[in-house]
Amino acid sequence: MVRTFHHRDFPAERLAVEREETVSVVVPTRNCAATIGPIASTLARLVDEGVVDQVLIVDADSADGTAQVAARAGVTVVCEHALLPEFGRVRGKGDAMWRALSACTGDVVLYLDGDSGGFGAHFVTGTLGPLLLEPHVAFVKGFFRRPFRADGKLVPNGGGRVTELTARPLLRRFWPELGALHQPLAGEMAARRELLCRLPFSTGYAVETAMLLDIHREVGLRSLAQVDLEERHNDHKSLPDLAPMADEVLAAVTIRLVREGRLAADDVQPPFERPPMAGVLTAAA
């Protein structure tokens, strides 16, 4: 069973006093001007309070002024194309997250999404808490309820369609021990930088699925944890827009089944992935 916590167990003042590791926060963004301001301001305040040490907003040349909004909050903003440019064009969210590792200085890396409405400090403190303060935790995923608005009506738990129709059924079928994870595709997740640097990174939407499965293989179920962040609000995509995302999740799962010898490699098209960052940094040294 995956250990489960609540964000209330890890208030900011507790982390500031008790933590012994440094923390980098990475927020990949693309046209998030409507939401990034409160997120960046909250992160800047948590730096001042001694909860985190480094904040990186990694922006994909947003056309709506995302980078400028974040910079006004006093956090560091970098263009994703400026990180490891020798690897060519950036291929999506996962690629931006991978490149950000090259600029992270913290012992622990926390990834957050930049499109969350109603963002609060508990997204940060809750996700970091088990990793920083609980024994034998190597990887933490946030989970939440996602209200879904349709035809003018708000359904309390109607969001997360790719999660419920693709990701969780695949986990229950092939990794049943991970079936208790509420939000395997959550963008709120934290791990030690050394562990992340040992992993290949899927470059697009499947990065969360791939990371979960790879870390599960590396450290085992007992080192995984999830934290209740209560509720998250963000825009919902149409079904045609969700289909490519589901395809990417399926591709990440199938290639890992091949690597584990549970699926024949014939006719399986491997997704594009970046190599473990550890080798990249060693080669550059």
Side-chain angles (χ1 to χ4, degrees), residues 34-36 38-39 113-120 123 231-235:
T35 53
I36 195 61
I39 294 173
D113 283 341
D115 61 350
S116 298
F119 185 87
F123 277 55
E231 191 170 274
R232 178 183 167 189
H233 296 265
N234 60 347
D235 292 335

Side-chain angles (χ1 to χ4, degrees), residues 148-225:
F148 180 73
R149 187 175 297 278
D151 298 326
K153 298 180 180 179
L154 190 66
V155 181
N157 292 296
R161 289 164 290 171
V162 176
T163 294
E164 297 301 331
L165 298 176
T166 303
R168 294 192 73 202
L170 285 168
L171 291 181
R172 287 195 297 266
R173 174 63 179 85
F174 296 109
W175 292 272
E177 66 274 23
L178 296 175
L181 279 172
H182 297 296
Q183 293 282 350
L185 302 187
E188 292 76 20
M189 51 195 173
R192 289 181 176 81
R193 180 162 50 98
E194 181 274 332
L195 173 58
L196 292 169
C197 284
R198 301 204 309 261
L199 307 177
F201 268 58
S202 287
T203 54
Y205 184 79
V207 61
E208 290 92 358
T209 305
M211 185 181 295
L212 170 63
L213 294 177
D214 289 345
I215 289 179
H216 174 244
R217 185 195 65 242
E218 287 279 328
V219 303
L221 186 68
R222 295 185 64 182
S223 295
L224 307 185

Side-chain angles (χ1 to χ4, degrees), residues 170 174-175 209 213 247-265 267-271:
L170 285 168
F174 296 109
W175 292 272
T209 305
L213 294 177
D247 285 341
E248 289 190 35
V249 170
L250 180 59
V253 168
T254 54
I255 196 61
R256 280 155 182 81
L257 289 171
V258 169
R259 290 170 183 169
E260 293 180 10
R262 294 200 278 166
L263 184 67
D267 300 322
V268 173
Q269 179 65 39

Side-chain angles (χ1 to χ4, degrees), residues 28-240:
T29 57
R30 182 185 297 272
N31 295 327
C32 296
T35 53
I36 195 61
I39 294 173
S41 295
T42 299
L43 292 173
R45 186 178 77 248
L46 290 174
V47 171
D48 292 340
E49 294 175 357
V51 177
V52 302
D53 304 282
Q54 179 189 30
V55 176
L56 290 175
I57 308 296
V58 184
D59 189 55
D61 288 332
S62 296
D64 66 349
T66 295
Q68 292 79 7
V69 173
R72 284 198 294 271
V75 298
T76 301
V77 181
V78 295
C79 175
E80 63 182 16
H81 302 287
L83 298 172
L84 301 179
E86 63 270 26
F87 282 86
R89 67 180 179 87
V90 181
R91 294 172 174 261
K93 176 186 178 183
D95 201 356
M97 292 166 60
W98 177 78
R99 292 173 191 244
L101 282 177
S102 68
C104 287
T105 58
D107 304 313
V108 166
V109 177
L110 167 67
Y111 289 111
L112 299 170
D113 283 341
D115 61 350
S116 298
F119 185 87
H122 67 285
F123 277 55
V124 179
T125 58
T127 310
L128 285 172
L131 192 63
L132 295 175
L133 304 182
E134 295 291 331
H136 312 303
V137 173
F139 182 56
V140 182
K141 294 282 288 187
F143 72 90
F144 36 74
R145 289 154 293 287
R146 287 187 62 194
F148 180 73
R149 187 175 297 278
D151 298 326
K153 298 180 180 179
L154 190 66
V155 181
N157 292 296
R161 289 164 290 171
V162 176
T163 294
E164 297 301 331
L165 298 176
T166 303
R168 294 192 73 202
L170 285 168
L171 291 181
R172 287 195 297 266
R173 174 63 179 85
F174 296 109
W175 292 272
E177 66 274 23
L178 296 175
L181 279 172
H182 297 296
Q183 293 282 350
L185 302 187
E188 292 76 20
M189 51 195 173
R192 289 181 176 81
R193 180 162 50 98
E194 181 274 332
L195 173 58
L196 292 169
C197 284
R198 301 204 309 261
L199 307 177
F201 268 58
S202 287
T203 54
Y205 184 79
V207 61
E208 290 92 358
T209 305
M211 185 181 295
L212 170 63
L213 294 177
D214 289 345
I215 289 179
H216 174 244
R217 185 195 65 242
E218 287 279 328
V219 303
L221 186 68
R222 295 185 64 182
S223 295
L224 307 185
Q226 61 182 347
V227 176
D228 188 348
L229 302 178
E230 295 191 359
E231 191 170 274
R232 178 183 167 189
H233 296 265
N234 60 347
D235 292 335
H236 296 279
K237 299 181 182 297
S238 66
L239 285 177

